[in-house]
Amino acid sequence: EFTLRLLTNDEVLDIDQDALGKPARRKWRNGQLEAWVKDLEDGSKAVGFFNRAREPLEATVDLTTLGLTEKCHVRDLWKRVDLPEVEGQITVKPAPHGVQLYKITQMK
């Protein structure tokens, strides 16, 4: 059931097949924690936080580093839930060898 839900997650598939067609690029790295950003056709960004370590890592990342400058709406694509809005920074804590995948949209 878990694997089927993972492979058929429409929100993640939308990121993969976004019409803009731009690849993700690494925008931030702190030791074993990395942030990869993909520009999307609707102006939002897909952001993946990758933990390459064997233990949980936590970091606070400036949104400007990710190419975002205003208050943002954050959607957790794995959990399919909206998270609290962020402004200025985002704090992440991916599991060991895990990924947190978000769609982040600047609010106007």
Side-chain angles (χ1 to χ4, degrees):
E1 180 67 24
F2 170 80
T3 302
L4 181 61
R5 282 195 338 249
L6 182 70
L7 295 174
T8 60
N9 183 322
D10 291 340
E11 294 180 68
V12 174
L13 291 172
D14 287 345
I15 299 300
D16 176 61
Q17 298 180 15
D18 184 73
L20 191 58
K22 287 195 172 183
R25 303 220 186 271
R26 187 172 67 194
K27 295 285 190 171
W28 177 86
R29 182 176 182 184
N30 184 359
Q32 296 289 322
L33 193 55
E34 299 179 358
W36 288 68
V37 179
K38 177 179 178 168
D39 294 327
L40 302 174
E41 182 182 40
D42 67 2
S44 61
K45 297 183 184 296
V47 182
F49 293 96
F50 293 81
N51 179 355
R52 299 185 185 279
R54 292 182 179 171
E55 63 275 339
L57 296 175
E58 182 173 341
T60 299
V61 181
D62 287 335
L63 291 176
T64 56
T65 303
L66 306 177
L68 300 157
T69 58
E70 301 175 20
K71 183 184 254 186
C72 297
H73 168 62
V74 181
R75 175 89 175 159
D76 185 319
L77 298 179
W78 293 134
K79 296 179 182 176
R80 299 182 187 197
V81 297
D82 293 326
L83 300 178
E85 295 169 357
V86 295
E87 187 171 8
Q89 301 176 322
I90 187 168
T91 300
V92 296
K93 189 176 182 180
H97 298 287
V99 177
Q100 288 179 295
L101 183 59
Y102 300 134
K103 182 176 181 180
I104 303 179
T105 307
Q106 292 191 134
M107 301 172 68
K108 296 181 183 191

